[in-house]
Amino acid sequence: MDGLNSTLSTDRDGRELGETLSQWVGPFPDRGDAAALLAPGGTPMTYAVLDLRIREWVGVLNSLGVGRNDRVALVLPDGPATAVASLGIASAATCAPLNPGFRRAEFEAHFQRIRPQALVVSNDGNPGAMEAARSQGIPVWKFCGREGPIEVDGKPLSRRIDGGWARPGDTALLLPTSGTSASPKYVPLTHRNVCFAAQGIRAALELSGADRCLNVMPLFHIHGLSLLYASLAAGGSVVCPPGFDAGSFPGWLRSSSATWYSAAPSIHRMILDAVRHHPDLPATTELRFVRSASAPMPRPWIEEIESELGVPFIEAYGMTEAGPQIASNRLSPHLRKPGSVGRAAGPEVTILDDEGRPVALGETGEVAIRGVNVMSAYEDDPEANRAAFVGEWLRTGDFGYLDSDGHLYITGRRADVINRGGEKFSPLEIEEVLREHPGVAEAVAFSTPHPVLGQHVAAVVVPRRSAADNPPEVNPARLIQELRERVTARLAAFKAPHPILVAGEI
């Protein structure tokens, strides 16, 4: 365990070693026979076997003509085999995972920007990805994801490569992110970036070799990948289901012996609805905490999950550009503050005014970060880089403030700010009020065009389901009226949404 936890240390001159992913799972004497990866109900893959599989990936990719900093697009369904493939590819080259649910046109657009040397798909293939790759002359290699030696069916590239293991400064991941713009930007994360970020998550959550993460987040997203990296950095294990299924979640939690899971708020909402039907769940699991990231988590949902599962709820904050963790609440009760996303847990955090100058504690401005886990620049996007960086500080696009204890509070997002006739406000405060209604499960507020005011605000709400999971019996007109009264009693009149729509889901 000490060997794993010391691999990402700092040497005497302060230079980050940033060990590569392959070195996290080396043959440490005390972890070789320990479980590293498994699927629900499956046989665990040990650290020794995982190390062997990663070494095979490096050898196979090098033999196919792919080496350090070459791009390999990865389109696989979630599961342990995908975790191994992403680790193996990143240990030899640059892994560019993409959502297997994309259509051909979407794959074509991403491939044009990523410019991969090859595409890796499952043995069953992915027609949209394969057609898009072949249309651009990108070789398609099929990965036989099974327990035996790595097999990749593909024709080698005729080229010289810089082979062997990736190094700390090499790019491990290339990920698209929408951020504050409509078209995606591409984030290159080095091994040093992701290793440092993983250690930030490990430290904030006090992870150890005894912990097991039930990873319900997709492995083409930095949230899911970071849970994999942080768990392995701690010497723990990761359960990788074949995609998220709310109905199966309680069973997975029981059978996997998971000690924690992390998810986006939308998934937490579905989990909350599912676990209500299993009141004995807290007594039949080894869960010790729950974590949330990727988007703001409504406070009532946090309280409900803590009540239903009987464990602390840790809200964290991050972005792809930070690999991803920026701040996190801690397990100790006195280090968790309601409404806060916690204290810095990786990079330095500051608050900037419109001119890029730091503001005083308690003052609201734009959250900015800098540190070892923060990317150096967006891929081939000078305009985005000019807008994003103020010296060494990366603007997050989020507004917030720091309190005297260093806890960060997010108050809104630059792209989401509604400007109604000169009155600027965040939809988050409207959503919070709407969600406080006992009959509302979900709510989202957003801007709509207005011929005179420029922008107006509208909202959509989803009624709360009954305990029996029957369709909600709700009078939409009455619910809308009650919500309007609630908003106008709590907020200024110009923030009142019109219309408010009632929907079955968002």
Side-chain angles (χ1 to χ4, degrees), residues 241-299:
F244 175 69
D245 177 66
S248 300
F249 180 84
W252 291 344
L253 202 57
R254 285 194 181 97
S255 64
S256 67
S257 299
T259 60
W260 68 291
Y261 78 89
S262 179
S266 58
I267 291 180
H268 281 300
R269 178 71 256 171
M270 290 185 279
I271 288 173
L272 186 56
D273 290 338
V275 300
R276 282 203 182 99
H277 308 310
H278 300 268
D280 64 331
L281 197 59
T284 59
T285 73
E286 297 183 32
L287 203 63
R288 70 181 184 93
F289 69 88
V290 172
R291 175 180 180 267
S292 181
S294 296
M297 183 74 176
R299 199 175 308 172

Side-chain angles (χ1 to χ4, degrees), residues 54-69:
I54 289 176
R55 292 175 184 277
E56 288 175 348
W57 265 108
V58 175
V60 167
L61 289 176
N62 285 177
S63 71
L64 289 169
V66 171
R68 293 170 50 213
N69 293 309

